[in-house]
Amino acid sequence: FWAHSGFANQLGLMKLALTRAGVTGLTIPEPQLSLEYGYYYPDGQTGRVFATWEDFEAWRAAQGKKHPGAPRIAVGFYKSTYYTGDSELLDKVIGEIERQGAEAVPIFGYPGAVASRLLLLDADGRARADAMLGFFFNFADPESSKLLETVDIPIINLVSLYGRSEKDWRASNSGMTMFEGTFQVAVPELAGTIAPTVVGSKEKIRDPETGLTVVVTRPIASRVTTAVERGVRYAALRMK
């Protein structure tokens, strides 16, 4: 349960621990194996992940998510975003893509360039998306740009602030620290991404049930809208 993380596995782990501590009447589920690479879509609960394009497409079709002729915008992110349940910003981006009339193709894996090539190219080498909004190029290696050349779509670098709230970010003269600028802007740029856009922040909130203060990733709504608008426009240019 611990090794594969995710909400269902954490719940299973708690049931296992309680059972071993003497609590009776709990049904312990089988651990759900996590995916290293895959597709994702929010479903109003904990989200769904898919190991294959075929399963992903079948689910999207059944849910009315396919719109022939609409631009497709991939959203690349680290698997930990889903498996730790920190997906509010990601889901906001996906929702905004839908709102602007495009199709969302969320993918995850590491390294980002490898995941992009593995998940976004079909058997004939054609891209399954017209543009990408990427969260997962912060630690790209020197080979990433070569891999992304094969995918051949414009990739906008999305930035989720590492340690600043929206208020702090807006009040800052620098926006990001030099340290954060290195892995949030410079490294992704070397991989071939463009137009770095801040879309999320870290906010401290108080959990009403436990009284604990936790740090969560929150979307900056106006910036999400701007980033998606850019992605849709780049996609439109590529489709001409």
Side-chain angles (χ1 to χ4, degrees), residues 71-86:
R72 283 183 172 179
I73 311 297
V75 185
F77 62 98
Y78 297 113
K79 64 176 284 187
S80 60
T81 301
Y82 167 72
Y83 285 106
T84 61
D86 192 19

Side-chain angles (χ1 to χ4, degrees), residues 141-200:
D141 63 24
E143 297 299 313
S144 294
S145 60
K146 296 178 183 178
L147 292 175
L148 293 177
E149 281 182 7
T150 65
V151 182
D152 194 27
I153 59 175
I155 301 174
I156 293 175
N157 175 33
L158 297 190
V159 177
S160 176
L161 295 170
Y162 182 72
R164 284 184 172 174
S165 66
E166 178 181 353
K167 180 180 178 180
D168 291 340
W169 173 68
R170 291 189 180 278
S172 169
N173 291 326
S174 61
M176 287 182 282
T177 64
M178 291 184 64
F179 167 71
E180 188 169 5
T182 299
F183 70 87
Q184 293 270 43
V185 178
V187 172
E189 185 174 308
L190 291 174
T193 70
I194 57 175
T197 308
V198 172
V199 293

